[in-house]
Amino acid sequence: MELNTSHTFTKQLPADKNLNNTRRQVLGACYSYVQPKKTANPKLIHTAKHFANSIGISEKMLTSEDFLKVITGNQLLQNTTPYAMCYGGHQFGNWAGQLGDGRAINLTDIIHDNKKWTLQLKGAGETPYSRSADGLAVLRSSIREYLCSEAMHYLGVPTTRALSLALTGDQVLRDVLYNGNPAYEKGAIVCRVAPSFLRFGSYEILTARKDYTTLKTLVDYTITHHFPEIANRNKADYLTFFQAVCNKTLNMIIHWQRVGFVHGVMNTDNMSVLGLTIDYGPYGWLEGFDYDWTPNTTDSEHKRYRFGNQPNISLWNLLQLANALYPLIEDAEALEIILNEYNTQFHHKYQQMMKAKLGLTSYNENDTELIKNLEANLHLSETDMTIFFRSLASYSKNDNINLKAILNPIKEAFYKPEEITGEIKKRWETWLQTYINRLAEEPYTDTERTSAMNGINPKYVLRNYMAQLAIEAADKEEYQLVDELYTLLQKPYEEQPEHQKWFAKRPEWARHKIGCSMLSCSS
Ligand code: AMP
Ligand code: MG
């Protein structure tokens, strides 16, 4: 298999001199050379054909024996030296020391149309960073990562991509609920792709070890390859770099809040320096709009990573990155100004985003309140976020407000319609009346507004139970649903009447089901 490979990461950054695949602290290096583990009986489940083409991998290559061997660890691409990256991280608010790619192995970079992409196998075996774990991944978490990262891309959310999903043919032991009941599951590997997999923790680990020489080398490398608009390498430029990471992070979080994505484990080792959604673990999608919701059972007590806290946590994580970059900048005040500005910017961008979801383009001083009241209403009784916003486009600026029917367009969004009475009903009626009056101020026609709203409020997202259904089928070697969901989620804003059944509230059976509303970090 011929690909246009490139090796800047390994050429320009210091390597771990120890070539043994033993678990250890790796000092003075950004990565360790390591080879993927051979797999017993690999089998391809799915490939992202469009994406593959866009990075120079033809359909013919995708279906070749060689491709399957490469993406399941049984063959190396010519002249490549796979490696695992060293990073640390703050996990649930505490410094965790060295983490690193414990089960992800970077195969190589490839260049296509002047763009560079790193190919990485997740679940490809032990590395020096595996700590006490096995370096493997199971089918269920791999399906979740494969489908969701692609769905996010098509939703317009910055994310790492996925090229392929394959079974390894090996069995992997997992204790899903961490309750002393381990069982064997099917092993799988996702080939992930991104311009870079560098994380906040990649810089934090170097500063924590006072290795400022490697820190500077890594930051300079990052700027050269990923922030080329920054010309020099002085303190002001490092500040500009930090500002750029803040902007990208902010943009990503606004998108998450827009589509109702909850990452679930926003540790600093899971924060991409490029502002990409990365490391799909116990993530989830809002069904009922709820700021307090988290899919992660490991976080169920403090709910640190709940939906409504994602903006705060991103800021906290950026503060950790600021601390990591401090030795190069040595200006705490300048860093603080940027962090403070993040809050202001967030508020501003969030309002803009919510106005767009409501189809509002003109200015009205009461819009902030309109949005605040809407969010309060959405919490009154369980209300499906996706269905609600998609349905909102049915209101017309010329509606003669008929109170009796005013709730009809959004009725489908309520999980417990019987609760929409009395005070709750009144509050919705009031809000909708205000909203329809506000629409009358808009310069655009209903058709124009609907079309804009439908481009921002997705019709289809990867509801938690949908991924679970695909997993249960795949476990029985039926992969049709993986393909169906993949196809559906390539066009999340289109009507797709043939897929209407996925535009529905979460079924009751999925409310408390493991894998649907409750996910552990076990993967
Ligand atoms: P995560 O919570 O999945 O982001 O993982 C945190 C750290 O644990 C990262 O350094 C991962 O590479 C590592 N890790 C997670 N699962 C495994 C595994 N099965 N084997 C080795 N390392 C793992
Ligand atoms: Mg991670």
Side-chain angles (χ1 to χ4, degrees), residues 103 122-123 134-145 165-168 170-176 183-190 471 521-523:
R103 55 168 166 177
K122 184 166 176 179
D134 58 11
L136 305 175
V138 293
L139 179 59
R140 69 185 147 78
S141 64
S142 303
I143 289 178
R144 284 170 51 82
E145 168 135 20
L165 167 67
L167 285 166
T168 60
D170 295 307
Q171 295 291 303
V172 176
L173 195 61
R174 287 290 180 271
D175 187 358
V176 179
Y184 281 101
E185 299 184 44
K186 292 182 173 136
I189 296 179
V190 172
I471 289 165
C521 287
S522 153
S523 56

Side-chain angles (χ1 to χ4, degrees), residues 6-13 109 116 221 225:
S6 152
H7 306 282
T8 44
F9 194 88
T10 46
K11 272 195 192 135
Q12 296 176 13
L13 294 168
D109 288 351
K116 197 160 59 156
Y221 174 89
H225 293 278

